[in-house]
Amino acid sequence: MATQLWASRAASYLRISTIHRAFATVAKDLKYAESHEWVRVDGSSATIGITDHAQDHLGDVVYVELPEVGASVNQFGSFGAVESVKATSDINSPVSGKVVEVNEKLDSSPALINGSPYQEGWIIKVEMNNPDELKSLMDPEQYSNFCDEEDAKH
């Protein structure tokens, strides 16, 4: 009887932490693309990475292909790739502009994308040339709903 009670407590704890995790996966101050990249805007500067949802589906990231500083990126166009133990996926830019910085820490520590997708695991910084493009991106609530619908299909 005591084992059964412990198991049901453990199961209820796991359900609570799973629900909590679902809410924690979408950062509130970002915009999102359907291809699971995020953008944090500061003036005309945009920091770009892949979402917690994307890294979760990819599994352990083992390599990140980064563009050169000075390269141009186009909204929804590919600028690099993330290789994981499961697959390789293109990384698309949520906005157009010029790459002004790349996260060189990812060369030696690609797992930063798994451990800190919204902070330490950012991928590039872009000087935007058309801030109006942000209007075509999802806000956190829209992105959260998009992920729920996508997961329900699989």
Side-chain angles (χ1 to χ4, degrees):
M1 185 68 180
T3 307
Q4 208 171 16
L5 182 62
W6 179 86
S8 69
R9 277 195 187 135
S12 107
Y13 170 75
L14 290 173
R15 267 197 299 279
I16 290 166
S17 64
T18 302
I19 289 167
H20 175 71
R21 171 126 173 87
F23 288 114
T25 59
V26 178
K28 299 296 180 211
D29 60 336
L30 307 177
K31 292 288 219 169
Y32 298 89
E34 287 187 4
S35 50
H36 302 288
E37 292 84 16
W38 57 263
V39 59
R40 178 181 295 114
V41 177
D42 182 13
S44 62
S45 176
T47 303
I48 296 166
I50 66 168
T51 66
D52 191 28
H53 182 86
Q55 72 77 23
D56 190 47
H57 281 267
L58 279 169
D60 294 338
V61 174
V62 294
Y63 176 74
V64 182
E65 179 188 312
L66 298 167
E68 296 288 320
V69 170
S72 291
V73 293
N74 294 314
Q75 187 178 39
F76 308 128
S78 174
F79 68 77
V82 175
E83 190 176 317
S84 73
V85 292
K86 293 183 188 176
T88 299
S89 294
D90 282 343
I91 313 167
N92 301 310
S93 183
V95 294
S96 300
K98 185 173 91 172
V99 177
V100 293
E101 191 178 345
V102 298
N103 188 349
E104 293 177 0
K105 288 182 187 173
L106 297 177
D107 286 337
S108 58
S109 303
L112 287 171
I113 287 179
N114 297 113
S116 182
Y118 299 119
Q119 300 298 327
E120 297 295 313
W122 63 274
I123 299 171
I124 62 171
K125 293 187 180 182
V126 170
E127 191 65 33
M128 291 186 295
N129 58 20
N130 186 359
D132 281 349
E133 290 176 338
L134 295 167
K135 294 175 186 170
S136 64
L137 301 174
M138 292 179 275
D139 67 26
E141 188 176 336
Q142 290 168 320
Y143 180 70
S144 199
N145 291 336
F146 175 79
C147 290
D148 290 346
E149 288 168 21
E150 195 176 73
D151 288 347
K153 292 177 191 171
H154 295 288

